[in-house]
């Protein structure tokens, strides 16, 4: 299963040193589990492939784009996000009780899990490292405006910032504001504008397609 992690070997960014330590431990654990017959390496590969290619923020982006172009879908999403997201075929572990929160000029929503790293896997894939970090989890609650500024998101002072604390019971999806000047775009083109971070609330949506992947 080395192929799933090969891209990490090309990073010479020293910020990855902690992750490398973690990866070593994961590999050691995996080796022991496989040798003892507790896990099937093929099943593990399939699981990792699922979360690297099939399940990821592209799913949430389709939900957001649909909500932007279809007012009825938007209403269903805000009323019962789990059901509305399942309409597009996304459901399963860590996404059983979804709540969609919509950004407006008056209110910006940002999501955290202060306790650990609860995150809506079916629509966003696996959480980014910073989402799981202690500084993000503690600071975004105390100083959301300051943390957002560090992400490059500077909101007008009159925009209220609402922080949503995820739990094992409820996971949140932020519906970002649709950028101006996108009236001519198709639903698929709109989805290409929506980044993972925009659906966590730590980014805004611009008019440039985002790059997906590692
Ligand atoms: Fe958590």
């Amino acid at each position: 299963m080395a192929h799933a992690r090969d891209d990490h070997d090309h990073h010479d960014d020293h910020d990855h040193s902690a992750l490398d330590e973690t990866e070593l431990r994961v590999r050691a654990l995996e080796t022991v589990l496989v040798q003892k017959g507790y896990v099937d390496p093929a099943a593990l590969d399939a699981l990792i492939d699922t979360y690297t290619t099939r399940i990821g923020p592209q799913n949430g982006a389709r939900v957001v784009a649909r909500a932007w172009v279809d007012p009825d879908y938007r209403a269903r999403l805000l009323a019962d996000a789990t059901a509305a997201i399942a309409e597009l075929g996304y459901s399963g572990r860590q996404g059983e009780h979804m709540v969609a929160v919509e950004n407006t000029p008056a209110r910006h929503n940002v999501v955290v899990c202060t306790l650990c790293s609860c995150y809506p896997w079916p629509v966003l894939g696996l959480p980014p490292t910073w989402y799981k970090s202690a500084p993000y989890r503690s600071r975004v609650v105390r100083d959301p405006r300051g943390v957002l500024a560090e992400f490059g998101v500077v909101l007008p002072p009159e925009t209220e910032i609402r922080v949503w604390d995820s739990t094992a019971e409820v996971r949140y999806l932020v519906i970002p504001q649709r950028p101006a000047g996108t009236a001519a775009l198709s639903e698929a083109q709109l989805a290409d504008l929506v980044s993972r971070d925009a659906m966590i609330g730590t980014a805004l949506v611009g008019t440039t397609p985002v790059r997906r992947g590692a």
Side-chain angles (χ1 to χ4, degrees):
M1 62 185 302
H3 63 274
R5 302 197 173 110
D6 273 349
D7 37 330
H8 258 298
D9 298 331
H10 305 304
H11 291 267
D12 48 10
D13 185 344
H14 56 266
D15 286 336
H16 283 66
S17 53
L19 198 60
D20 293 341
E21 162 84 27
T22 305
E23 287 199 352
L24 281 173
R25 289 175 177 277
V26 169
R27 285 182 197 202
L29 273 171
E30 183 187 329
T31 302
V32 172
L33 291 170
V34 169
Q35 279 175 355
K36 299 241 179 214
Y38 292 140
V39 299
D40 171 7
L44 215 47
D45 273 353
L47 198 64
I48 286 169
D49 183 58
T50 293
Y51 279 101
T52 48
T53 60
R54 212 167 57 74
I55 299 178
Q58 69 275 12
N59 297 4
R62 288 192 199 108
V63 172
V64 168
R66 176 68 55 87
W68 283 346
V69 301
D70 181 343
D72 290 338
Y73 183 77
R74 172 182 165 276
R76 291 200 297 282
L77 183 64
L78 291 171
D80 181 350
T82 311
I85 289 166
E87 280 181 42
L88 299 195
Y90 312 130
S91 60
R93 290 189 62 210
Q94 317 289 327
E96 293 93 343
H97 301 284
M98 291 293 308
V99 170
V101 289
E102 186 179 49
N103 287 348
T104 66
R107 181 193 279 179
H108 181 90
N109 299 284
V110 60
V111 180
V112 65
C113 175
T114 54
L115 260 162
C116 45
S117 57
C118 298
Y119 192 72
W121 291 11
V123 280
L124 294 187
L126 299 173
T129 305
W130 58 259
Y131 184 86
K132 298 181 273 187
S133 75
Y136 176 75
R137 285 159 40 207
S138 59
R139 289 189 52 230
V140 76
V141 177
R142 289 201 314 269
D143 178 23
R145 205 169 289 272
V147 170
L148 288 182
E150 287 167 22
F151 276 93
V153 175
V154 179
L155 298 165
E158 63 271 21
T159 302
E160 176 203 353
I161 302 175
R162 184 92 186 258
V163 180
W164 299 87
D165 194 357
S166 308
T167 66
E169 273 73 48
V170 183
R171 317 287 167 109
Y172 298 94
L173 178 72
V174 173
I175 310 173
Q177 290 190 72
R178 178 173 175 168
T182 56
L185 296 189
S186 71
E187 189 176 329
Q189 288 171 320
L190 287 169
D192 287 341
L193 306 181
V194 182
S195 69
R196 173 196 68 199
D197 290 4
M199 293 178 282
I200 303 174
T202 53
L204 303 178
V205 176
T207 51
T208 313
V210 296
R211 279 165 17 108
R212 305 266 184 229

